[in-house]
Amino acid sequence: MFCALVVLLDGFATSPELFGVISLSLIPSAGMARGDSPNFPDFVRNGWALRAPRSHRSLSLSPAVFVVLWGPPRALGVLQWLPAAQPQTQEVGWSCLGNVGAAAGMFLVPIPGKPALDLQEDEGYSESPDLEFEYADTDKWTAELSELYSYTEGPEFLLNRKCFEEDFRIHSTFGECSSEAEVQAWMRYNIFLLLEVGTFNALVELLNMEIDNSAACSSAVRKPAISLADSTDLRVLLNIMYLIVETVRQEAEGDKPEWKSMRQTFRAELGAPLYNNEPFSVMLFGMVTKFCSGHAPHFPMKKVLLLLWKTVLCTLGGFEELQSMKAEKREVLGLPPLPEDSIQVIRSMRAASPPASASDLIEQQQKRGRREHKALIKQDNLDAFNERDPYKADDSREEEEENDDDNSLEGETFPLERDEVMPPPTQHPPSDRITCPKGLPWAPKVREKDIEMFLESSRSKFIGYTLGSDTNTVVGLPRPIHESIRTLKLHKYTSIAEVQVHMEEEYLRSPLSGGEEEVEQVPAEILYQGLLPSLPQYMIALLKILLAAAPTSKAKTDSINILADVLPEEMPTTVLQSMKLGVDVNRHKEIIVKAISAVLLLLLKHFKLNHIYQFEYMAQHLVFANCIPLILKFFNQNIMSYITAKNSISVLDYPYCVVHELPELTAESLEAGDNNQFCWRNLFSCINLLRILNKLTKWKHSRTMMLVVFKSAPILKRALKVKQAMMQLYVLKLLKVQTKYLGRQWRKSNMKTMSAIYQKVRHRLNDDWAYGNDLDARPWDFQAEECALRASIERFNARRYDRAHGNPDFVPVDNCLQSVLGQRVELPEEFQGVILTPDLTKAKAQTQISTHVESPWPRLTHVFYRHVNRFGDLIWI
């Protein structure tokens, strides 16, 4: 693909930045394009000042000097240095001349007979189609099964067939199967057969024995290099358990009725505290922390994390099940139903064209004091531009796509002079307009706090008094304020978290009269109780492994070794073996990132639904363990290369490798990889990490400031290159929450990103996110915010789970007369000869007690009356 580049220099003082860019970008070009003109190097040597150094402040050239170059876009390097203002031009043959006046500029013109240049090609912004990616709980069954095994384990399948009959039974009799579907059917049948006879419980006991095998742990610690041979028994056990959990978790059309009941029983037992008085997931978390502490470096961590992910997914439920649970809980709490199904809305969204990077040059020029005043657009030109197409004002997505076809700048380009001729409108086929959805995808939301703040500011402005949290009194306010309040209340949204926080405040405010909370023992609650004692250690361990598996991490001597279950005993000796092992190692790391991101996201979402302070406890420890900079470090790479990586060898994937004859592997076949447009697990991991980052920073201004401090805006903006709607949505959410902190200049230079936020992210009606006028944008003491949240979390955990160390004054006292008199009370020695019965009169009791030297009756009566008076009752004996 070739294009013509026109450079106009018209006798004016040109900034040194322009010279530096010209001298770097145009010298490698292909040559002149005007007939027999000399080529570009000769043209430079003949005295033209295009090689002027950056130190030269100005240059005078004769009027109407122009240079026409042609060549491939990478040689021209045009996307790196196009200015914001482009002169009006008219195309004439091979060159492009026009009435430039006192302006100068550089622009591209398609060459006759040559294909037009796609301006997004040089920076990776080519107008590629949307990625056909459907976000789900897991990938396809065959993909999830193949990722359990590394390619280094391939030769062990025959060994398992001979030596481990149980493992062979789990894998189905693949030696007798002719297709992958047949393998799946027999595997499903065999797994339910083994589940019926209680095999899983026996496997858990064996796994527990292997975890406590101190001899194997000490032997692995002393070894300088750990390989597959050190974890053979553990890998067999984990393989069988993973296959059982993954198969039983999914429903199939041909399942027998007894299989369905077995599935429900298995899910209940898997999430119940039946294994050492804790759920099975807690045992796996213990393996993760033991591995990270260095006491068990031979643990096959990829298999442990995959089994942990599928166990959490099986016991707690996936995203669609979570959505139905959320709707049911809102109904129980008396809240209105959700305004829309978020899963369906995201699936129906289309990806936007990514923003270009030419704004970086504009920002550099403006920092040096050079402001392009002519780049400002006058309102009449803007109106004229919108009049070209009536659909422009309604659908910003179509505007973005058209602009990306025109140029690579952040905003639209307009004529600089009012009297210049407007370019003819672009004709769009009617089908394009019909396919563009109208309206916003999300219903707007308003919090109760937002309504209160709006009323407080209105009352202070118009009346001069405030009423606290009263949102009903509107006396004295103008009628437009009444309409605003009515609109806000129409879109008011009360979350489950707000109700839970209010209930917790009531329990703390009235510990005696509030009664005892009835905690429903759902799977999420049971899991939280099991993780609570060591949850900070679990989070740190997961993030350590995530850091070691991130592609941007550098090898360090103190980092943990996560390749114990992928490295063979004998290192490769040929180039082909080395390439195969390299693919296997990269694939191994990608699978670990996928499993950890899925586990963290599932736990955050389920804990948030169960109780908001359980979510906050986990989220705060993730923040304390530097999860936010770790995720940003993960995205600080060529994200398109990561998503389109081909670290897989399809012929070696299970179960394909045990059913078909394996072809001979060559270096070319390994380099080619598969033909998929993207890597499902890598895109899945990126979306999960973005969702985790959103969970950690939502409504937390202190954590939002961390995004600003770590300069996340350019990192996240590069992630918009991925044309996948769901990923772009969560990137735009993260950019939205920090926009108010980035300053006016950033917003001015990234108007296309701002438009995408308006178009795709849910609106908060009175959220001043785009202008930075909100009080939350001021630098408050963010440390106090985290400390207050931590204090609330600790009060919640102490009240609900730490009964032994609670305040004894707040323990409920039994005020029922019958139950109090029916309790056995240990009496001192003075009362050994006295037996109190219900029909014993006060006088008779006093007569019997008077025989003792010192009667404790007054003291006992005083204590009894003191306890009775606490509840306002008087009981006479």
Side-chain angles (χ1 to χ4, degrees), residues 352-373:
S353 298
S357 61
S359 61
D360 297 338
L361 176 63
I362 300 175
E363 291 178 357
Q364 292 176 4
Q365 292 176 347
Q366 291 173 342
K367 287 180 181 178
R368 293 185 176 97
R370 183 178 182 226
R371 300 185 179 274
E372 296 287 343
H373 297 289

Side-chain angles (χ1 to χ4, degrees), residues 87-90 381 384 388 414-424:
Q88 179 69 24
T89 60
Q90 296 176 352
N381 279 344
R388 293 186 302 168
F414 301 95
L416 301 178
E417 302 295 337
R418 293 183 60 184
D419 55 352
E420 290 175 347
V421 180
M422 205 66 175

Side-chain angles (χ1 to χ4, degrees), residues 619 622-623 627-628 692-698 700 703:
L622 286 174
V623 174
C627 182
I628 292 178
I692 293 170
L693 202 55
N694 271 283
K695 293 283 183 189
L696 298 181
T697 57
K698 187 175 182 180
K700 303 291 189 305
R703 300 173 190 176

Side-chain angles (χ1 to χ4, degrees), residues 713-725:
I715 298 174
L716 296 172
K717 191 178 167 188
R718 285 197 299 269
L720 291 175
K721 295 179 183 179
V722 182
K723 293 200 65 177
Q724 205 282 324

Side-chain angles (χ1 to χ4, degrees), residues 184-218:
Q184 182 179 5
W186 280 109
M187 179 185 296
R188 192 172 189 84
Y189 175 82
N190 292 334
I191 283 177
F192 276 100
L193 183 64
L194 293 174
L195 193 64
E196 186 177 1
V197 297
T199 306
F200 191 82
N201 293 331
L203 293 172
V204 173
E205 295 297 330
L206 290 173
L207 180 63
N208 199 14
M209 293 171 58
E210 288 293 332
I211 295 173
D212 298 334
N213 189 349
S214 58
C217 294
S218 59

Side-chain angles (χ1 to χ4, degrees), residues 551-829:
T552 54
S553 299
K554 297 180 180 178
K556 297 181 180 179
T557 55
D558 57 344
S559 61
I560 55 179
N561 180 20
I562 59 173
L563 304 179
D565 52 338
V566 70
L567 295 179
E569 288 188 82
E570 298 179 359
M571 296 307 291
T573 57
T574 64
V575 176
L576 183 62
Q577 292 176 352
S578 300
M579 292 178 62
K580 176 184 172 183
L581 182 60
V583 171
D584 204 4
V585 168
N586 293 333
R587 174 177 176 265
H588 182 81
K589 292 182 178 181
E590 292 173 358
I591 296 170
I592 288 178
V593 173
K594 171 187 175 182
I596 293 178
S597 64
V599 168
L600 291 177
L601 181 60
L602 280 173
L603 291 178
L604 286 172
K605 291 186 71 66
H606 279 279
F607 285 162
K608 186 175 183 179
L609 179 61
N610 192 50
H611 200 286
I612 182 60
Y613 282 134
Q614 295 177 353
F615 160 80
E616 295 291 359
Y617 184 58
M618 177 180 172
Q620 195 167 63
H621 281 290
L622 286 174
V623 174
F624 292 161
N626 288 331
C627 182
I628 292 178
L630 173 57
I631 295 178
L632 293 177
K633 181 179 180 180
F634 179 88
F635 280 96
N636 192 17
Q637 59 170 315
N638 189 338
I639 202 66
M640 280 300 299
S641 299
Y642 183 74
I643 287 177
T644 57
K646 300 182 182 299
N647 292 315
S648 61
I649 307 173
S650 57
V651 295
L652 298 182
D653 288 338
Y654 182 86
Y656 183 92
C657 62
V658 298
V659 176
H660 302 85
E661 292 291 335
L662 295 183
E664 183 179 359
L665 293 178
T666 61
E668 290 76 12
S669 62
L670 292 181
E671 289 180 353
D674 52 27
N675 297 323
N676 295 329
Q677 186 185 14
F678 56 90
C679 179
W680 195 97
R681 62 172 170 267
N682 289 353
L683 188 51
F684 177 77
S685 302
C686 291
I687 294 176
N688 287 343
L689 292 174
L690 288 171
R691 297 182 71 180
I692 293 170
L693 202 55
N694 271 283
K695 293 283 183 189
L696 298 181
T697 57
K698 187 175 182 180
W699 305 118
K700 303 291 189 305
H701 303 294
S702 58
R703 300 173 190 176
T704 303
M705 285 302 299
M706 292 181 67
L707 295 178
V708 179
V709 170
F710 290 122
K711 303 186 186 305
S712 65
I715 298 174
L716 296 172
K717 191 178 167 188
R718 285 197 299 269
L720 291 175
K721 295 179 183 179
V722 182
K723 293 200 65 177
Q724 205 282 324
M726 189 172 187
M727 183 170 175
Q728 287 184 348
L729 172 65
Y730 289 105
V731 171
L732 293 174
K733 281 186 175 184
L734 290 168
L735 289 172
K736 177 183 177 181
V737 297
Q738 57 178 317
T739 299
K740 64 178 71 173
Y741 304 104
L742 296 177
R744 181 180 300 177
Q745 186 55 53
W746 187 91
R747 296 191 290 269
K748 180 180 177 182
S749 303
N750 295 273
M751 289 308 298
K752 189 172 183 180
T753 304
M754 301 283 287
S755 300
I757 293 174
Y758 271 112
Q759 177 189 357
K760 294 183 176 297
V761 182
R762 188 190 302 275
H763 288 264
R764 302 278 175 170
L765 294 184
N766 52 351
D767 184 11
D768 201 11
W769 65 271
Y771 306 103
N773 299 324
D774 195 355
L775 293 177
D776 293 332
R778 299 179 183 177
W780 301 121
D781 185 5
F782 294 122
Q783 187 175 4
E785 180 184 4
E786 289 290 343
C787 291
L789 177 61
R790 186 173 186 177
S792 300
I793 295 169
E794 290 177 350
R795 287 194 298 266
F796 164 76
N797 287 332
R799 181 191 65 81
R800 182 182 277 197
Y801 305 110
D802 197 6
R803 302 292 179 85
H805 298 85
N807 193 335
D809 294 336
F810 292 158
V811 176
V813 180
D814 190 0
N815 59 355
C816 178
L817 178 61
Q818 296 297 327
S819 62
V820 169
L821 293 178
Q823 293 179 0
R824 296 183 61 87
V825 180
E826 293 294 334
L827 299 176
E829 296 179 358

